[in-house]
Amino acid sequence: MWKISKHSKQLALSHAQLETVILERTAELQILSQRLLKVQDEERRKLARDLHDSTGQTLAALKISVSFLQEECKENSAVMSIVADVAELADRAVEEIRTMSYLLHPPLLDEIGFSCAAEWFIEGFAKRSGVDVSAELSADGKRLPMNIEIALFRVLQESLTNVHRHSEAVRARVCFQRQDGTAMLEVRDFGRGIQSERLQQLRETSAQTGVGLAGMRERMNELNGNFELESDEHGTTIRATVPLSAIFPENSRETGQEARLPQTSRDVCSSQVGAGS
């Protein structure tokens, strides 16, 4: 009897130790995942800058050279036609590089904030995809900390990408609002919805959820936020809610507080929306 009791205690101890190890490893994996997302964001920002400053400038120089050729070849219609084609290709390449750079990391996100960057992205997405997207974006003049703005923007990007790839929807709606100490982003499509069995799989943290959903969920976990996925025969809704208490000193701006947009921010936003469409 004593041996059985001793064996039971040993098993209980081993079980407790195993649970501790699992919790430690889970925490380590979560930290690693968060670091990978931050590295990914930094790489996107760097790549966007390099595309704009290096490749973009090279193409701009090419356009200048082509314009000189056009002046020199006015009397040769055959050559002029070829040069005109080159000029058109250069213009197209400049536009594609600009769009790619902005999609990787839109300057509006750093310069003006989430609402303006979201408006720009939604308008460009609607033009590229053919999906009619209505938007209700809070614009109370206050900036969110950069870590929150980046997380919400990536959720918006991934959500609308999923709408285009999987929902077969022709209409969608984006809502962003701040109230009761939280920031909430909701993306809803009016497509075919997700079957209940698949929906249950996507709600669980597993390899079957896919990289996109896992990334969105991890971004919300990092900010002590909440990620929700709902779907029925009328469409699918993704909702990301972040407490504004998720402002960490190392992620805040230089003031350590929410920054207020300049008075002309709405004008700047309006002038740049659709630039990368």
Side-chain angles (χ1 to χ4, degrees):
M1 187 71 178
W2 179 80
K3 289 183 179 181
I4 295 176
S5 177
K6 183 179 180 181
H7 183 65
S8 298
K9 289 181 179 180
Q10 289 176 338
L11 285 175
L13 181 60
S14 298
H15 182 71
Q17 291 174 337
L18 182 59
E19 285 185 336
T20 301
V21 171
I22 291 174
L23 290 174
E24 290 175 351
R25 295 295 180 268
T26 301
E28 290 172 358
L29 285 173
Q30 187 171 14
I31 292 172
L32 177 60
S33 177
Q34 292 169 0
R35 287 180 179 174
L36 286 173
L37 288 173
K38 289 179 180 178
V39 169
Q40 183 186 65
D41 287 330
E42 288 303 317
E43 285 299 312
R44 283 180 172 179
R45 182 185 279 109
K46 182 179 182 298
L47 183 56
R49 185 171 58 247
D50 289 345
L51 282 172
H52 181 273
D53 296 344
S54 179
T55 310
Q57 296 305 316
T58 300
L59 289 170
L62 174 63
K63 286 184 62 179
I64 293 173
S65 298
V66 170
S67 67
F68 284 129
L69 278 175
Q70 287 177 316
E71 289 295 325
E72 295 293 328
C73 300
K74 284 183 177 179
E75 297 180 0
N76 191 326
S77 59
V79 174
M80 189 65 179
S81 176
I82 296 173
V83 174
D85 290 341
V86 173
E88 183 180 350
L89 289 173
D91 286 334
R92 192 184 307 169
V94 168
E95 188 63 28
E96 289 176 356
I97 287 293
R98 186 184 186 192
T99 299
M100 189 182 303
S101 172
Y102 277 31
L103 288 175
L104 283 167
H105 189 87
L108 292 175
L109 191 59
D110 292 334
E111 297 167 4
I112 303 178
F114 172 77
S115 292
C116 190
E119 185 177 349
W120 164 83
F121 179 77
I122 290 168
E123 182 170 319
F125 170 83
K127 290 180 179 179
R128 291 187 299 272
S129 66
V131 179
D132 180 20
V133 185
S134 61
E136 298 177 13
L137 305 173
S138 172
D140 58 6
K142 292 182 179 179
R143 290 291 303 271
L144 293 170
M146 185 55 70
N147 61 331
I148 295 180
E149 290 189 335
I150 290 176
L152 291 176
F153 188 79
R154 297 307 180 200
V155 170
L156 174 65
Q157 280 186 307
E158 188 64 36
S159 298
L160 286 180
T161 298
N162 286 341
V163 169
H164 180 52
R165 288 178 178 173
H166 306 298
S167 73
E168 298 181 3
V170 297
R171 188 165 60 93
R173 183 182 67 208
V174 175
C175 178
F176 171 67
Q177 58 184 334
R178 298 170 54 162
Q179 61 181 6
D180 300 329
T182 62
M184 188 274 289
L185 171 68
E186 181 178 280
V187 180
R188 173 172 176 76
D189 70 64
F190 301 91
R192 63 179 183 177
I194 304 172
Q195 294 183 352
S196 57
E197 295 164 356
R198 179 58 177 160
L199 180 62
Q200 186 59 38
Q201 290 177 343
L202 294 175
R203 283 173 172 168
E204 297 172 353
T205 304
S206 68
Q208 294 179 323
T209 60
V211 176
L213 284 174
M216 289 189 280
R217 187 176 288 113
E218 192 55 51
R219 288 182 186 277
M220 292 300 101
N221 288 339
E222 182 185 8
L223 298 171
N224 297 320
N226 189 38
F227 178 81
E228 299 172 79
L229 175 64
E230 301 174 354
S231 188
D232 56 27
E233 66 274 13
H234 302 296
T236 300
T237 300
I238 285 179
R239 188 178 301 108
T241 308
V242 182
L244 297 184
S245 58
I247 301 174
F248 305 109
E250 64 272 19
N251 293 317
S252 300
R253 294 178 173 80
E254 292 180 359
T255 60
Q257 298 177 352
E258 292 176 322
R260 184 170 291 275
L261 292 175
Q263 292 181 353
T264 57
S265 63
R266 289 172 184 248
D267 297 333
V268 175
C269 182
S270 298
S271 67
Q272 295 193 36
V273 164
S277 302

